[in-house]
């Protein structure tokens, strides 16, 4: 999925970076990319991308105006990394659930401090790699040993995230995960998702009932569905069209809190549900993954022009 360029990417030490700079935002450290063709903002906490902005365009990601940048607090918007479990632990498969020692949703990766592994820059692309080792530091919430390596690739064709999980333990490791992408819209009622027609899905708002999708996904109030599909999608809003291409995923989550749930969410304005939607590349519900000792698995998404 990575874009090739005329000039190969080369690793650079911090003093040599041409386009990438450290910046403190709120109480968190971030990497800001100011490339002639695009800009991006990536936080070390949560390996959390909040901005991808091609030249002369607005942010391709939705970020809450109430987002708070504090240690241990998940950032509302952008692309949170849900790992090594997705959603409510109790709603995960038994093999995933047995390792989770907390009732908190979406794993610990989105509030953990990731390690910068590398920055590669070229005239056409910037790649940033971050890692998180799930070791004894997390044993109070999860029993497992794993390494997550997340690579971000930014170019004029879009932004790509590639998350590779490796089982460092001696026993088989079951996990679920999601790249929880928030996208902006000027009007949720005039927005739709193409590419999920004829897919089966779990409607979590109807006691996890199985349903069949017919045609595009429209938004009429709260939406929280897990589709049994990893096919490419087009997200159409009044102002833009984005293509979502996933790798390593056979499940897609479509979410909007609607007016009532919006009032209960942290760092989320009551009316913000009208201006955002989530289309999440996932391994969720029955689409969880199992790794034997030393095995790796990659989940990825490319967000491009529709």
């Amino acid at each position: 999925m990575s874009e090739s360029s005329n000039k190969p990417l080369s690793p650079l030490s911090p003093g040599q970076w041409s386009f990438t700079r450290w910046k403190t935002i709120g109480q968190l450290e971030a990497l800001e990319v100011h490339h002639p063709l695009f800009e991006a903002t990536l936080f070390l906490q949560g390996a959390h991308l909040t901005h991808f902005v091609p030249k002369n365009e607005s942010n391709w990601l939705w970020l809450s105006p109430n987002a708070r940048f504090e240690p241990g607090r998940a950032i509302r918007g952008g692309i949170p990394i849900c790992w090594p479990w997705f959603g409510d632990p109790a709603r995960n498969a038994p093999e995933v659930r047995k390792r989770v020692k907390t009732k908190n949703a979406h794993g610990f990766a989105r509030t953990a401090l990731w390690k910068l592994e590398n920055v590669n820059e070229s005239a056409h692309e910037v790649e940033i790699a971050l890692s998180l080792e799930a070791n004894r530091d997390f044993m109070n919430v999860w029993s497992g040993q794993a390494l997550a390596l997340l690579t971000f690739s930014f170019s004029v064709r879009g932004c790509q995230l590639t998350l590779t999980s490796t089982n460092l333990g001696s026993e088989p490791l079951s996990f679920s995960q999601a790249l929880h992408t928030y996208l902006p819209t000027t009007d949720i009622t005039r927005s739709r998702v193409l590419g999920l027609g004829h897919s089966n899905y779990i409607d979590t708002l109807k006691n996890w009932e199985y349903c069949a999708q017919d045609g595009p996904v429209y938004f009429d109030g709260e939406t929280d569905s897990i589709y049994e599909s990893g096919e490419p999608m087009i997200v159409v809003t009044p102002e833009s069209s984005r293509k979502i291409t996933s790798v390593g995923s056979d499940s897609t989550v479509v979410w909007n809190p609607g007016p009532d749930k919006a009032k209960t969410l942290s760092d989320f304005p009551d009316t913000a549900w009208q201006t955002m939607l989530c289309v999440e590349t996932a391994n969720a519900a029955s689409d969880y993954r199992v790794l034997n000792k030393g095995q790796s698995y990659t989940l990825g998404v490319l967000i491009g022009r529709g």
Side-chain angles (χ1 to χ4, degrees), residues 62-67 76 182-188 255-259 261-263 265-278:
W62 181 86
L63 179 67
S64 172
N66 294 355
R76 178 68 69 183
Y182 285 78
L183 299 169
T185 177
T186 53
D187 186 351
I188 189 62
W255 180 74
N256 179 280
K261 178 135 188 210
K263 296 176 183 177
L265 297 175
S266 61
D267 307 334
F268 194 94
D270 289 352
T271 60
W273 65 276
Q274 300 171 349
T275 61
M276 54 68 65
L277 65 146
C278 288

Short mmCIF file of all heavy atoms in Angstrom, two decimals, residues 62-67 76 182-188 255-259 261-263 265-278:
data_model
loop_
_atom_site.label_atom_id
_atom_site.label_comp_id
_atom_site.label_asym_id
_atom_site.label_seq_id
_atom_site.Cartn_x
_atom_site.Cartn_y
_atom_site.Cartn_z
N TRP A 62 -11.48 14.30 11.96
CA TRP A 62 -12.26 15.13 12.88
C TRP A 62 -11.62 15.09 14.26
O TRP A 62 -11.27 14.02 14.77
CB TRP A 62 -13.69 14.60 12.98
CG TRP A 62 -14.56 15.43 13.89
CD1 TRP A 62 -15.27 16.55 13.57
CD2 TRP A 62 -14.82 15.20 15.29
NE1 TRP A 62 -15.94 17.04 14.66
CE2 TRP A 62 -15.68 16.23 15.73
CE3 TRP A 62 -14.40 14.23 16.21
CZ2 TRP A 62 -16.14 16.31 17.05
CZ3 TRP A 62 -14.84 14.31 17.52
CH2 TRP A 62 -15.70 15.34 17.93
N LEU A 63 -11.43 16.26 14.84
CA LEU A 63 -10.89 16.39 16.19
C LEU A 63 -11.85 17.24 17.01
O LEU A 63 -12.23 18.34 16.57
CB LEU A 63 -9.50 17.02 16.17
CG LEU A 63 -8.84 17.22 17.53
CD1 LEU A 63 -8.51 15.87 18.18
CD2 LEU A 63 -7.57 18.06 17.38
N SER A 64 -12.25 16.75 18.16
CA SER A 64 -13.19 17.49 18.99
C SER A 64 -12.59 18.84 19.41
O SER A 64 -11.43 18.91 19.83
CB SER A 64 -13.53 16.69 20.25
OG SER A 64 -14.30 17.48 21.14
N PRO A 65 -13.38 19.89 19.32
CA PRO A 65 -12.89 21.19 19.82
C PRO A 65 -12.67 21.18 21.33
O PRO A 65 -12.00 22.05 21.86
CB PRO A 65 -14.02 22.15 19.43
CG PRO A 65 -15.23 21.30 19.26
CD PRO A 65 -14.74 19.99 18.76
N ASN A 66 -13.22 20.17 22.01
CA ASN A 66 -13.05 20.03 23.45
C ASN A 66 -11.96 19.02 23.82
O ASN A 66 -11.83 18.66 25.00
CB ASN A 66 -14.36 19.61 24.12
CG ASN A 66 -15.44 20.68 24.02
OD1 ASN A 66 -15.17 21.78 23.53
ND2 ASN A 66 -16.63 20.36 24.47
N ALA A 67 -11.22 18.52 22.83
CA ALA A 67 -10.18 17.53 23.10
C ALA A 67 -9.18 18.08 24.11
O ALA A 67 -8.79 19.25 24.05
CB ALA A 67 -9.48 17.14 21.81
N ARG A 76 -10.03 12.81 22.15
CA ARG A 76 -11.30 12.62 21.44
C ARG A 76 -11.16 13.09 19.99
O ARG A 76 -11.07 14.27 19.72
CB ARG A 76 -12.42 13.40 22.14
CG ARG A 76 -13.76 13.29 21.44
CD ARG A 76 -14.37 11.91 21.50
NE ARG A 76 -14.79 11.57 22.86
CZ ARG A 76 -15.30 10.38 23.20
NH1 ARG A 76 -15.43 9.43 22.29
NH2 ARG A 76 -15.64 10.14 24.46
N TYR A 182 -11.95 8.86 13.02
CA TYR A 182 -12.99 9.90 13.04
C TYR A 182 -12.86 10.75 11.78
O TYR A 182 -11.77 11.27 11.49
CB TYR A 182 -12.81 10.84 14.24
CG TYR A 182 -13.21 10.30 15.59
CD1 TYR A 182 -12.38 9.42 16.29
CD2 TYR A 182 -14.38 10.73 16.21
CE1 TYR A 182 -12.73 8.96 17.56
CE2 TYR A 182 -14.73 10.29 17.48
CZ TYR A 182 -13.91 9.40 18.14
OH TYR A 182 -14.25 8.96 19.40
N LEU A 183 -13.95 10.93 11.07
CA LEU A 183 -13.96 11.72 9.84
C LEU A 183 -14.93 12.89 9.98
O LEU A 183 -15.98 12.76 10.62
CB LEU A 183 -14.37 10.86 8.64
CG LEU A 183 -13.43 9.68 8.33
CD1 LEU A 183 -14.08 8.76 7.31
CD2 LEU A 183 -12.08 10.17 7.83
N PRO A 184 -14.62 14.03 9.39
CA PRO A 184 -15.50 15.20 9.51
C PRO A 184 -16.59 15.24 8.44
O PRO A 184 -16.43 14.67 7.36
CB PRO A 184 -14.53 16.38 9.31
CG PRO A 184 -13.49 15.83 8.38
CD PRO A 184 -13.36 14.37 8.70
N THR A 185 -17.68 15.90 8.76
CA THR A 185 -18.73 16.18 7.80
C THR A 185 -19.40 17.50 8.20
O THR A 185 -19.41 17.85 9.39
CB THR A 185 -19.78 15.06 7.74
OG1 THR A 185 -20.83 15.44 6.82
CG2 THR A 185 -20.41 14.79 9.09
N THR A 186 -19.95 18.20 7.24
CA THR A 186 -20.70 19.40 7.57
C THR A 186 -22.14 19.08 7.93
O THR A 186 -22.84 19.91 8.51
CB THR A 186 -20.69 20.40 6.40
OG1 THR A 186 -21.14 19.73 5.21
CG2 THR A 186 -19.28 20.94 6.17
N ASP A 187 -22.59 17.85 7.59
CA ASP A 187 -23.98 17.47 7.87
C ASP A 187 -24.10 15.95 7.87
O ASP A 187 -24.05 15.31 6.82
CB ASP A 187 -24.92 18.07 6.81
CG ASP A 187 -26.39 17.83 7.11
OD1 ASP A 187 -26.71 17.06 8.04
OD2 ASP A 187 -27.24 18.41 6.40
N ILE A 188 -24.24 15.36 9.05
CA ILE A 188 -24.30 13.90 9.15
C ILE A 188 -25.51 13.33 8.41
O ILE A 188 -25.45 12.23 7.86
CB ILE A 188 -24.32 13.46 10.64
CG1 ILE A 188 -24.16 11.94 10.76
CG2 ILE A 188 -25.57 13.94 11.34
CD1 ILE A 188 -22.86 11.39 10.22
N TRP A 255 -19.84 4.18 13.34
CA TRP A 255 -20.33 4.72 14.62
C TRP A 255 -20.62 6.21 14.53
O TRP A 255 -19.88 6.97 13.91
CB TRP A 255 -19.28 4.48 15.71
CG TRP A 255 -19.66 4.99 17.07
CD1 TRP A 255 -20.57 4.44 17.93
CD2 TRP A 255 -19.14 6.15 17.74
NE1 TRP A 255 -20.64 5.19 19.09
CE2 TRP A 255 -19.78 6.24 19.00
CE3 TRP A 255 -18.19 7.11 17.39
CZ2 TRP A 255 -19.49 7.26 19.92
CZ3 TRP A 255 -17.91 8.13 18.30
CH2 TRP A 255 -18.57 8.19 19.55
N ASN A 256 -21.72 6.59 15.12
CA ASN A 256 -22.05 7.98 15.41
C ASN A 256 -22.90 7.98 16.67
O ASN A 256 -23.85 7.20 16.78
CB ASN A 256 -22.82 8.62 14.24
CG ASN A 256 -23.18 10.07 14.53
OD1 ASN A 256 -24.14 10.36 15.24
ND2 ASN A 256 -22.43 10.99 13.97
N PRO A 257 -22.58 8.83 17.66
CA PRO A 257 -23.27 8.74 18.95
C PRO A 257 -24.71 9.24 18.93
O PRO A 257 -25.48 8.87 19.83
CB PRO A 257 -22.41 9.60 19.87
CG PRO A 257 -21.77 10.60 18.96
CD PRO A 257 -21.51 9.85 17.68
N GLY A 258 -25.08 10.04 17.93
CA GLY A 258 -26.42 10.60 17.95
C GLY A 258 -26.59 11.63 19.05
O GLY A 258 -25.69 11.84 19.88
N PRO A 259 -27.75 12.29 19.13
CA PRO A 259 -27.93 13.42 20.06
C PRO A 259 -27.93 13.04 21.53
O PRO A 259 -27.42 13.80 22.36
CB PRO A 259 -29.28 14.00 19.64
CG PRO A 259 -29.98 12.89 18.94
CD PRO A 259 -28.93 12.08 18.28
N LYS A 261 -26.60 10.13 23.18
CA LYS A 261 -25.32 9.62 23.70
C LYS A 261 -24.26 10.71 23.67
O LYS A 261 -23.35 10.72 24.52
CB LYS A 261 -24.87 8.42 22.87
CG LYS A 261 -23.53 7.87 23.31
CD LYS A 261 -23.55 6.36 23.41
CE LYS A 261 -22.26 5.85 24.02
NZ LYS A 261 -21.91 4.52 23.53
N ALA A 262 -24.35 11.63 22.71
CA ALA A 262 -23.36 12.71 22.63
C ALA A 262 -23.28 13.48 23.94
O ALA A 262 -22.20 13.93 24.35
CB ALA A 262 -23.70 13.66 21.48
N LYS A 263 -24.41 13.62 24.62
CA LYS A 263 -24.45 14.37 25.87
C LYS A 263 -23.73 13.66 27.01
O LYS A 263 -23.43 14.28 28.03
CB LYS A 263 -25.90 14.65 26.26
CG LYS A 263 -26.64 15.53 25.26
CD LYS A 263 -28.10 15.69 25.64
CE LYS A 263 -28.84 16.52 24.59
NZ LYS A 263 -30.30 16.63 24.91
N LEU A 265 -20.81 11.80 26.50
CA LEU A 265 -19.42 11.55 26.14
C LEU A 265 -18.50 12.63 26.69
O LEU A 265 -18.85 13.81 26.70
CB LEU A 265 -19.26 11.48 24.62
CG LEU A 265 -20.00 10.35 23.91
CD1 LEU A 265 -19.84 10.49 22.40
CD2 LEU A 265 -19.51 8.98 24.38
N SER A 266 -17.31 12.22 27.11
CA SER A 266 -16.33 13.18 27.60
C SER A 266 -15.69 13.93 26.43
O SER A 266 -15.51 13.37 25.33
CB SER A 266 -15.25 12.46 28.40
OG SER A 266 -14.57 11.51 27.59
N ASP A 267 -15.36 15.18 26.66
CA ASP A 267 -14.63 16.00 25.69
C ASP A 267 -15.34 16.05 24.33
O ASP A 267 -14.68 16.08 23.28
CB ASP A 267 -13.20 15.48 25.50
CG ASP A 267 -12.47 15.35 26.83
OD1 ASP A 267 -12.82 16.09 27.79
OD2 ASP A 267 -11.57 14.50 26.93
N PHE A 268 -16.67 16.07 24.36
CA PHE A 268 -17.45 15.98 23.13
C PHE A 268 -18.63 16.95 23.24
O PHE A 268 -19.53 16.75 24.07
CB PHE A 268 -17.96 14.54 22.96
CG PHE A 268 -18.51 14.21 21.60
CD1 PHE A 268 -17.71 13.65 20.63
CD2 PHE A 268 -19.85 14.44 21.29
CE1 PHE A 268 -18.22 13.33 19.38
CE2 PHE A 268 -20.36 14.13 20.06
CZ PHE A 268 -19.54 13.57 19.09
N PRO A 269 -18.68 18.01 22.43
CA PRO A 269 -19.81 18.94 22.50
C PRO A 269 -21.14 18.24 22.20
O PRO A 269 -21.19 17.29 21.42
CB PRO A 269 -19.48 19.97 21.41
CG PRO A 269 -18.00 19.88 21.23
CD PRO A 269 -17.65 18.45 21.48
N ASP A 270 -22.20 18.71 22.81
CA ASP A 270 -23.51 18.07 22.66
C ASP A 270 -23.96 17.96 21.21
O ASP A 270 -24.66 17.01 20.84
CB ASP A 270 -24.57 18.84 23.46
CG ASP A 270 -24.40 18.66 24.96
OD1 ASP A 270 -23.56 17.84 25.37
OD2 ASP A 270 -25.11 19.36 25.72
N THR A 271 -23.59 18.93 20.39
CA THR A 271 -24.05 18.94 18.99
C THR A 271 -23.01 18.39 18.02
O THR A 271 -23.25 18.37 16.80
CB THR A 271 -24.41 20.37 18.56
OG1 THR A 271 -23.24 21.21 18.69
CG2 THR A 271 -25.53 20.93 19.42
N ALA A 272 -21.87 17.90 18.53
CA ALA A 272 -20.77 17.49 17.64
C ALA A 272 -21.13 16.25 16.81
O ALA A 272 -20.52 16.01 15.76
CB ALA A 272 -19.51 17.23 18.45
N TRP A 273 -22.11 15.48 17.25
CA TRP A 273 -22.51 14.29 16.48
C TRP A 273 -22.96 14.66 15.07
O TRP A 273 -22.92 13.81 14.16
CB TRP A 273 -23.62 13.54 17.21
CG TRP A 273 -24.91 14.31 17.32
CD1 TRP A 273 -25.23 15.24 18.27
CD2 TRP A 273 -26.02 14.25 16.42
NE1 TRP A 273 -26.47 15.76 18.03
CE2 TRP A 273 -27.00 15.17 16.90
CE3 TRP A 273 -26.30 13.51 15.28
CZ2 TRP A 273 -28.21 15.37 16.26
CZ3 TRP A 273 -27.51 13.71 14.64
CH2 TRP A 273 -28.46 14.62 15.13
N GLN A 274 -23.35 15.90 14.86
CA GLN A 274 -23.83 16.34 13.55
C GLN A 274 -22.68 16.57 12.57
O GLN A 274 -22.92 16.70 11.37
CB GLN A 274 -24.63 17.63 13.69
CG GLN A 274 -25.85 17.51 14.58
CD GLN A 274 -26.51 18.86 14.87
OE1 GLN A 274 -25.95 19.91 14.57
NE2 GLN A 274 -27.70 18.81 15.44
N THR A 275 -21.45 16.61 13.07
CA THR A 275 -20.31 17.00 12.23
C THR A 275 -19.21 15.93 12.17
O THR A 275 -18.09 16.24 11.77
CB THR A 275 -19.69 18.31 12.75
OG1 THR A 275 -19.23 18.12 14.09
CG2 THR A 275 -20.70 19.44 12.72
N MET A 276 -19.52 14.69 12.54
CA MET A 276 -18.50 13.64 12.51
C MET A 276 -19.13 12.28 12.29
O MET A 276 -20.33 12.10 12.43
CB MET A 276 -17.71 13.63 13.83
CG MET A 276 -18.50 13.53 15.12
SD MET A 276 -19.37 11.95 15.45
CE MET A 276 -17.96 10.85 15.62
N LEU A 277 -18.30 11.33 11.92
CA LEU A 277 -18.68 9.93 11.87
C LEU A 277 -17.41 9.11 11.98
O LEU A 277 -16.31 9.60 11.69
CB LEU A 277 -19.42 9.58 10.57
CG LEU A 277 -18.63 9.69 9.27
CD1 LEU A 277 -19.08 8.63 8.28
CD2 LEU A 277 -18.83 11.07 8.65
N CYS A 278 -17.54 7.88 12.42
CA CYS A 278 -16.40 6.98 12.51
C CYS A 278 -16.58 5.78 11.60
O CYS A 278 -17.65 5.16 11.58
CB CYS A 278 -16.21 6.49 13.95
SG CYS A 278 -15.60 7.76 15.08
#
